[in-house]
């Protein structure tokens, strides 16, 4: 395969995951989760760790070989090439990928940001220095009839696109001559295709050679099409569609998917698109990328499939021209029909937005509200701010680590389950046994305080999991277990090992409602950022945004309260919790119905307080809480820290603050008097 330097670099980066050996593949989704490191071998069955990627381009070896490196750097490192010798690394990577670099090409340097004027100057310079093959195309076109190698395409279509023939063509001075069909792609580039029917294995490698850049072939039709536009892979496929009366563009290469999407984003096409790429693995992979991109752009498209007996559209034309004509006609009808259906759905959706259309639902909702649809959380002060408790909607609970957000969500879940309401907990980090032990630890603390006025016989989460109890501890444990059994039947815990995403949550909610006469459960997700990604090619933020939007849709469609726990970055540790704390995902801030942030009481800014004074005050506050906890434990008691719950957003109610005492040792939150210094005593 002959490519220019820039095209080779893009090709290798795009196909990096195909070069690497897969390590872990999800049994459920079939998605590759990791790869074997080509340098140290980690990721094989006898060696753990492996390498992972978030964007399919940059990779990290968790054994320490490299971090955020692209495939060219990895291959260079594997072959012992100096990290600063970019040319040698590039040449070695091209060799391993089987790519021939055009003689005039140099190693493509990473782009440097330029000013607008510099960009304009560069464009003008490129236009002046780029090759102009138009005279060559005219001469070659005059020789077209000297070959019968027309691949089933009529002379009329071939001449329209100035396709020509050269009997003796070679890519460079040292290369052998061969007869070639010349397909112009733009003024400065073309595809030269070997017309010989029998080629050796070596000659087969150079069957299709290019001059210039790989561009979108016949791209102008994207602006002026009068009928649905076929998106195909090669130039001959594009000409084949045109030859039987269709309109089409050719990618030229599957690496051009991003380029096509960028063109479409800037100027949406006037007609629906029909995806008809090659039947091989590369073509289908490119189709998946196009589908994802077009869905993001919200463009109308129809995904077609070439009959399996043909590799591509051009082969279909050569073997069954009448069949291709019918197939093109059917695809156009289906694409237009799909577009009509989409437009009708949009029209109906628009009509449903009319107030008159929804008044009946509005009245029904008011009647239902009279009957009390709220679900109390078990914390009276929190329920007051939330207008009685939880309603159908998305509640996001956020905090830095170790502040008790999982514990609070679990306690709310337990307190709701005690009223007889079903709760579905999706635990993506902690095991089912850990959550059960946390609940029992809390109950043991409460029981021991009620019975003995102390917590001497209560156990921590770890203490319960170890299973060693004295006589009195065992009595308290049995009492707590009996209490837990009463409402444990209402709690359903799903453990996650990277395999729980929003679709699995939606499915579980619908199953629960089917088995419980349509009664919606309360849903708790711990935590949001480690839900299985909807698209492994998207960024963490994009996946989190999509998860939030889908969870909001679930809360609305199934009328369920959804409590999603969200983590904060360490950067927020000394900052008061605010809407900005949720900025990691814009969708959290805008799509949630209620945003609740946890922080230590006293963490807010004080009027006219200087930064240095604030830092000292916070350090003193943490030290005071630390000392109070140690003193209390030495005296055989227990000390809690006052946690401030800030309701930062409440779509249908008021905002405010709630203060709870957090006894972390026993996983227990309880109401307390407001305390600005963070100590309840």
């Amino acid at each position: 395969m002959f490519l220019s330097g820039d095209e080779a670099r893009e090709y290798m980066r795009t196909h990096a995951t195909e070069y690497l050996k897969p390590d872990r593949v999800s049994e459920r989704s079939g998605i590759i989760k990791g790869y074997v490191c080509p340098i140290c071998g980690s990721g094989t069955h006898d060696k753990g760790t492996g390498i992972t990627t978030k964007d399919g381009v940059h990779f990290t070896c968790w054994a320490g070989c490299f971090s955020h490196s692209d495939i060219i750097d990895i291959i260079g490192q594997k072959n012992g090439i100096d990290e600063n010798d970019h040319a040698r690394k590039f040449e070695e990577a091209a060799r391993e990928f089987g790519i021939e670099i055009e003689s005039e090409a140099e190693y493509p340097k990473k782009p440097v940001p330029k000013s607008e004027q510099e960009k304009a100057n560069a464009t003008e310079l490129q236009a002046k220095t780029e090759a102009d093959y138009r005279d060559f195309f005219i001469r070659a076109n005059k020789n077209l009839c000297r070959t019968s190698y027309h691949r089933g395409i009529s002379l009329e279509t071939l001449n329209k696109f100035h396709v020509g023939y050269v009997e003796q063509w070679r890519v460079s001075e040292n290369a052998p001559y061969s007869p070639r069909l010349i397909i112009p792609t733009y003024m400065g580039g073309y595809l030269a295709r070997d017309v010989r029917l029998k080629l050796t294995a070596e000659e087969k490698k150079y069957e299709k050679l290019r001059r210039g850049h790989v561009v979108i072939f016949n791209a102008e039709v994207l602006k002026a099409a009068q009928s649905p536009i076929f998106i195909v892979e090669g130039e001959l496929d594009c000409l084949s569609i045109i030859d039987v009366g269709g309109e089409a563009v050719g990618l030229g290469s599957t690496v051009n998917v991003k380029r096509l999407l960028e063109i479409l984003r800037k100027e949406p096409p006037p007609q629906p698109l029909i995806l008809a790429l090659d039947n091989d693995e590369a073509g289908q992979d490119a189709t998946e990328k196009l589908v994802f991109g077009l869905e993001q752009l919200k463009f109308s498209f129809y995904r077609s499939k070439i009959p399996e007996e043909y590799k591509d559209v051009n082969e279909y034309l050569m073997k069954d021209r009448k069949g291709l004509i019918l197939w093109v006609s059917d695809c156009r009808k289906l694409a237009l029909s799909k577009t009509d259906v989409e437009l009708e759905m949009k029209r109906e959706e628009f009509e449903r937005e009319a107030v008159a259309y929804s008044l009946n639902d509005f009245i029904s909702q008011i009647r239902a509200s009279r009957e009390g649809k709220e679900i109390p959380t078990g914390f009276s002060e929190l329920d007051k701010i939330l207008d009685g408790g939880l309603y159908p909607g998305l509640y996001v609970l956020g905090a830095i680590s170790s502040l008790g957000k999982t514990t609070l969500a679990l306690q709310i879940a337990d307190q709701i389950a005690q009223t007889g309401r079903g709760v579905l907990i999706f635990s993506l980090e902690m095991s089912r046994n850990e959550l059960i032990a946390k609940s029992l630890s809390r109950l043991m603390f409460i029981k021991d305080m009620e019975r003995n006025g102390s917590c001497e016989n209560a156990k921590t989460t770890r203490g319960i999991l170890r299973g060693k109890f004295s006589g009195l501890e065992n009595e308290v444990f049995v009492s707590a277990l009996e209490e837990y059994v009463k409402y444990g039947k209402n709690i359903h815990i799903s453990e996650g090992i990277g395999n729980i995403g929003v679709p699995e949550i939606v499915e579980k909610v619908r199953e629960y409602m089917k088995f419980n006469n349509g009664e919606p459960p309360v849903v708790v997700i711990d935590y949001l950022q480690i839900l299985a990604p909807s698209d492994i090619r998207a960024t963490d933020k994009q996946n989190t945004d999509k998860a939030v939007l889908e969870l909001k849709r679930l809360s609305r469609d199934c009328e369920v309260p959804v409590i999603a726990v969200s983590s904060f970055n360490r950067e927020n540790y000394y900052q008061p919790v605010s809407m900005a704390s949720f900025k990691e995902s814009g969708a959290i801030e805008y799509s949630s119905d209620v945003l609740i942030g946890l922080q230590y009481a006293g963490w807010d800014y004080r009027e006219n307080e200087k930064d240095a004074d604030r830092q000292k005050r916070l350090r003193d506050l943490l030290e005071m809480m630390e000392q109070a906890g140690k003193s209390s434990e030495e005296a055989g008691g227990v000390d809690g820290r006052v946690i401030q719950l800030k309701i930062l957003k409440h779509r249908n109610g008021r905002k405010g603050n709630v203060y709870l005492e957090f006894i972390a040792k026993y996983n227990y939150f309880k109401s307390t008097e407001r305390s600005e210094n963070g100590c309840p005593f």
Side-chain angles (χ1 to χ4, degrees), residues 573-577 599-626 642 644 646 659 674-679:
Y573 192 85
Y574 283 104
Q575 300 298 320
V577 68
Q599 66 178 22
Y600 292 119
W603 220 249
D604 281 328
Y605 290 113
R606 291 182 176 177
E607 190 175 353
N608 299 323
E609 186 177 37
K610 295 180 180 179
D611 288 343
D613 294 336
R614 170 179 160 73
Q615 292 291 330
K616 182 179 183 306
R617 178 173 63 81
L618 296 185
R619 286 195 299 269
D620 291 344
L621 177 59
L622 290 173
E623 185 177 348
M624 182 189 67
M625 289 190 288
E626 185 83 18
V642 176
Q644 179 184 2
K646 297 179 72 173
Y659 293 84
R674 173 174 174 167
S675 177
E676 290 297 345
N677 64 9
C679 180

Side-chain angles (χ1 to χ4, degrees), residues 530-587:
I530 54 176
L531 281 167
S534 59
D535 178 19
I536 60 172
R537 295 181 292 268
T539 64
D540 290 344
K541 181 181 182 300
Q542 289 171 331
N543 278 314
T544 301
D545 281 354
K546 186 166 185 182
V548 168
L549 294 172
E550 292 300 321
L551 289 173
K552 171 62 180 173
R553 184 176 289 112
L554 167 66
S555 71
R556 181 193 63 199
D557 294 348
C558 294
E559 295 190 338
V560 299
V562 177
I563 302 173
V565 177
S566 177
S567 64
F568 291 164
N569 292 329
R570 295 296 297 179
E571 301 164 3
N572 293 294
Y573 192 85
Y574 283 104
Q575 300 298 320
V577 68
S578 65
M579 295 281 274
S581 305
F582 294 88
K583 285 291 186 183
E584 182 182 339
S585 172

Side-chain angles (χ1 to χ4, degrees), residues 322-341:
K322 290 182 179 179
L324 178 64
I325 292 172
L326 291 173
W327 179 80
V328 167
S329 176
D330 288 343
C331 287
R332 289 197 300 190
K333 290 175 183 177
L334 289 168
L336 290 170
S337 175
K338 183 173 183 285
T339 303
D340 290 342
V341 170

Side-chain angles (χ1 to χ4, degrees), residues 286-517:
T287 300
E288 294 298 333
K289 292 177 181 176
L290 271 173
V291 167
F292 177 78
L294 292 171
E295 286 176 346
Q296 295 294 103
L297 293 172
K298 293 182 169 48
F299 285 173
S300 180
F301 68 92
Y302 172 68
R303 181 174 180 171
S304 183
K305 185 168 178 60
I306 303 166
E308 292 183 1
E309 58 266 36
Y310 309 119
K311 175 185 176 295
D312 53 34
V313 171
N314 182 242
E315 186 175 314
Y316 195 176
L317 174 73
M318 292 177 66
K319 294 183 177 179
D320 186 4
R321 185 182 182 88
K322 290 182 179 179
L324 178 64
I325 292 172
L326 291 173
W327 179 80
V328 167
S329 176
D330 288 343
C331 287
R332 289 197 300 190
K333 290 175 183 177
L334 289 168
L336 290 170
S337 175
K338 183 173 183 285
T339 303
D340 290 342
V341 170
E342 289 171 350
L343 287 172
E344 181 62 21
M345 289 174 63
K346 288 179 180 178
R347 185 188 65 78
E348 290 179 1
E349 183 180 350
F350 184 78
E351 288 183 354
R352 284 197 299 271
E353 291 174 353
V355 172
Y357 189 92
S358 58
L359 279 178
N360 288 336
D361 289 340
F362 176 73
I363 298 300
S364 298
Q365 187 171 353
I366 291 176
R367 288 171 180 165
S369 296
R370 289 177 190 163
E371 300 168 5
K373 289 185 70 173
E374 70 272 13
I375 303 170
T377 65
F379 293 105
S380 58
E381 292 301 314
L382 179 59
D383 289 336
K384 283 180 184 177
I385 291 183
L386 298 180
D387 296 329
L390 305 179
Y391 293 83
L394 178 59
Y395 297 74
V396 180
L397 188 68
I400 59 173
S401 61
S402 304
L403 214 60
K405 54 187 180 294
T406 296
T407 301
L408 179 59
L410 179 62
Q411 186 170 338
I412 290 173
D414 281 2
Q415 288 167 179
I416 290 172
Q418 286 173 329
T419 68
R421 172 76 66 165
V423 181
L424 303 184
I425 298 176
F426 297 90
S427 180
L428 310 177
E429 189 173 47
M430 301 183 72
S431 70
R432 178 185 287 105
N433 287 345
E434 286 179 291
L435 293 183
I436 292 172
K438 283 172 77 72
S439 293
L440 288 171
S441 173
R442 179 187 348 105
L443 291 172
M444 284 188 72
F445 173 79
I446 294 171
K447 295 290 183 184
D448 199 29
M449 293 295 291
E450 289 174 351
R451 288 184 173 195
N452 309 310
S454 74
C455 57
E456 291 181 6
N457 302 305
K459 303 286 280 187
T460 64
T461 301
R462 187 178 294 279
I464 289 174
L465 290 172
R466 289 178 63 187
K468 295 180 180 180
F469 304 96
S470 67
L472 285 175
E473 287 174 347
N474 192 61
E475 288 182 17
V476 176
F477 175 72
V478 170
S479 177
L481 191 61
E482 288 174 349
E483 178 72 22
Y484 190 65
V485 167
K486 291 178 184 177
Y487 67 84
K489 63 183 179 181
N490 299 322
I491 296 180
H492 306 261
I493 300 175
S494 297
E495 294 177 297
I497 50 173
N499 60 338
I500 295 181
V502 177
E504 288 74 25
I505 293 173
V506 172
E507 182 181 0
K508 187 77 74 168
V509 169
R510 295 192 185 281
E511 283 180 357
Y512 177 91
M513 294 177 68
K514 182 169 63 176
F515 299 143
N516 290 274
N517 300 316

